[in-house]
Every structure is written in structure tokens, then in C-alpha cells.
Amino acid sequence: MTLFAAIRCPHCGTYYLLGSTCDCRTKLPLVIIGEGDLDDQVRYAVRCVCGEDRVIQQIEPAPRDLRSPFPEGTKHFYVRSTSSTCECESPCLWVDHVYWCADRSVVVQFSQLQTTLLGNVIRQLKGDS
């Protein structure tokens, strides 16, 4: 019988095997290339990353402009959405963050806010690999 030791990641709470590392701090978020106006691109990106069942309630621009090291023209949005399949008495509400620059959207889901590094978001917006 083979025994495995699992370690709990202090950043995201998932378990990984002893001798390996959790990828929660290094994996890159998805980049969604959209078409249409900015509102359509943000809605499309959220549905691609979070699922087709998401019903977007509101898209709100962040109150502050993003500066360097973000690419020039980057916009940041808070997207409030619910799930069309949620069976809770009071529907679950998510507030996801969408970073947009030149038809490229990066969605940071509510559940990933604590583990997604902004450096990785910036790399994806710039198109760095």
C-alpha cells in the first residue's frame, strides 16, 4: 500500500501532495477576447469564465483609474451576478472583477480574489506568456 501526505495550502485552502506546490498563486487567469461594445465584452467574459447560468445584474466601473504597471487604457469593473440555477431562498450574489484592455478581458472570480496575483492579470492583459 502506498501512502500519500497531503498539505493544505495557506492561500486557497486546497490540498496538494507533499513534494509538490499548489498552483493557486502561479496559474494564469483566462483571457477572453471579445467583440462588440465594452458592455457586451464584459458580459461575454463573465459568462465564459463563470458559466452560462450567470445572470448579470449590474456592471459598475471601479471608482479609481488603473495606472502603471497596468497597460494604458485598462479599465476595471465590478460585475454583480446571480445564478439562474440557484435554489436558495435569497439568490446567491457574486461580485466578480473584470479587467479590460483593448478587447482583452480577464475575469477574477469572487472565489479567487484572495489567490489571484495582480501581476498575473497584468501579464495576461499585456499578452505576455
Side-chain angles (χ1 to χ4, degrees):
M1 172 169 38
T2 306
L3 296 175
F4 295 99
I7 299 173
R8 187 174 182 123
C9 177
H11 304 290
C12 67
T14 61
Y15 290 92
Y16 60 93
L17 294 177
L18 181 65
S20 65
T21 57
C22 182
D23 68 348
C24 73
R25 308 281 283 178
T26 58
K27 64 182 173 189
L28 296 175
L30 293 174
V31 174
I32 307 298
I33 308 295
E35 295 179 3
D37 65 5
L38 183 54
D39 188 68
D40 290 340
Q41 291 182 39
V42 170
R43 288 176 184 276
Y44 177 72
V46 169
R47 286 196 184 105
C48 285
V49 173
C50 302
E52 288 290 325
D53 66 320
R54 284 291 180 96
V55 178
I56 295 172
Q57 305 292 326
Q58 181 181 16
I59 298 174
E60 179 182 327
R64 292 190 222 156
D65 291 334
L66 297 174
R67 295 186 174 90
S68 181
F70 283 93
E72 188 175 329
T74 300
K75 298 183 185 308
H76 178 204
F77 299 94
Y78 303 116
V79 180
R80 289 176 173 77
S81 62
T82 59
S83 172
S84 62
T85 60
C86 180
E87 296 178 1
C88 299
E89 276 185 42
S90 174
C92 299
L93 176 69
W94 290 279
V95 181
D96 302 307
H97 292 235
V98 177
Y99 296 88
W100 177 92
C101 183
D103 296 337
R104 298 171 70 89
S105 297
V106 176
V107 178
V108 180
Q109 293 179 315
F110 184 76
S111 61
Q112 299 171 335
L113 287 175
Q114 300 300 316
T115 59
T116 301
L117 298 176
L118 278 180
N120 289 340
V121 172
I122 293 166
R123 283 179 56 196
Q124 294 296 69
L125 288 173
K126 290 180 176 180
D128 297 344
S129 48

